[in-house]
Amino acid sequence: MTHLFRFAALLLAVLVFGNAEAQTLAGVGRSGPTRQTVDGIIVKVDNQIVLRSDLDGIYQQQLQQAEGKPLPPDIQCKILQSLTLNKLLLAKAETDSVVVEDSQVNNELNRRMNYFIQQIGSEKKLEEYYNKPLRQLKEELRIQVKEQLVQQKMQDQIAGKVTVTPREVRQFFSKIPKDSLPYYSTEVEVGQIVKLAKPDEKAEQAVVAKMNDLRAQILAGANFAELAKQYSEDVASAKDGGNLGFFKRKELVPEYEAAALRLEPGGLSPIVKSQFGYHLIQLIEKKGDSYNTRHILMKPASGGADVDAASAALLKLRSRIEHDSITFAKAAKDNSEDKESGANGGLLANRRDGSSYIPLDQLDPAIFFTIDTMKVGRISKPLPYRTDDGKDAVRLIWLKSNTPPHQANLKDDYQKIALAALNQKKNKALDEWFLRNRSTVFIEVDPEYAGCKVLDTQQ
């Protein structure tokens, strides 16, 4: 049996978890006179649809990654198969009432937007490239992110409990032809423990005083939008007078939403504190389950003393680790304020396959130059840096391992080989699920693509 889900799962992993080569705003179109696309529905799966632009966008992405090398002749069919299968996951998720939390969607959306901004250089450059305000780009990407997370949750429910034994891993490896074994470049395992530089009471009070002054000005008749343009530290919305656009319930942080929904149109909130800072909120409009607001955001500034305090705390923790009173993994889980890596014992994840082994050319440059002169097992001194959401922080960097270039073998690459064996077994479970469920939904394929046989698992 061939595994159509193998390509679908790979595509979904790229889209949901991202990687330095493939993570783009492929599904968010550029607007302007240079873009002319004839779009249309090419597949329907119950209420879910696949557009020609979906297929074209991912095909162009594959061309870019190929860097001039020829693609397989059936690549477009394989992409269409994967898109159709992912729509089947969505259709079944709807009938099975499978949902993801809005907080998870927001976290993933913010992570990706920060990645895009970092890659292109600035928010302004991103807006110029797509000829759209950041707020609109984010709204368009939100739909993709939510769908992809639902698809991932469905896959987890179908095959999440599948495991492999060491014997199965060895059997999987033994079946790989010797001349087909992959060659790995230098890879490292890197851990971090992050401590945020928390603003002191003076900084908090200064922001509250300024916000109270702005609130008084608005109540006295000053224009909210003009003050937002001048003072708001939410750069994306400030240029639009603080306008965030329409959001549904539970899509914004609870403190913000609760204050906004207590207002009547045109009403002004008291000062609201959230994880992002302090807000002044004005309700513009309510429409069904959605609401539109504008806000002014101000963040207390952290100073040198705050960074020094965070550094001092990490120095003590570093000393405990080096004197064997606590492991790095335990220290990261208990103390790191980066929850994603902290939950993994501080280890950074390879965005391509989820493993802890990261090729050197995929490392953040700041980390690369930190570990360049480090010996395996050593921990850096506390290093200042900025988090993805712009907060001042300090971190310890740990070089757990450094594997030189080599051909794949069980001794050095057991984790990666076990992951490949596990994926193969999961793909089989997903294939079987597909065969059981493809007749339970309405599927229609445009005659132009009938030759792709998107529902034929025996291709």
Side-chain angles (χ1 to χ4, degrees), residues 263-268 282-286:
L263 299 172
E264 294 298 325
L268 180 66
Q282 187 175 61
L283 179 66
I284 300 173
E285 182 184 1
K286 287 181 182 176

Side-chain angles (χ1 to χ4, degrees), residues 45-63:
V45 183
D46 277 357
N47 295 326
Q48 304 293 328
I49 61 172
V50 177
L51 297 173
R52 183 174 278 104
S53 59
D54 298 332
L55 174 62
D56 291 344
I58 296 172
Y59 177 68
Q60 292 302 319
Q61 209 174 63
Q62 295 287 318
L63 281 176

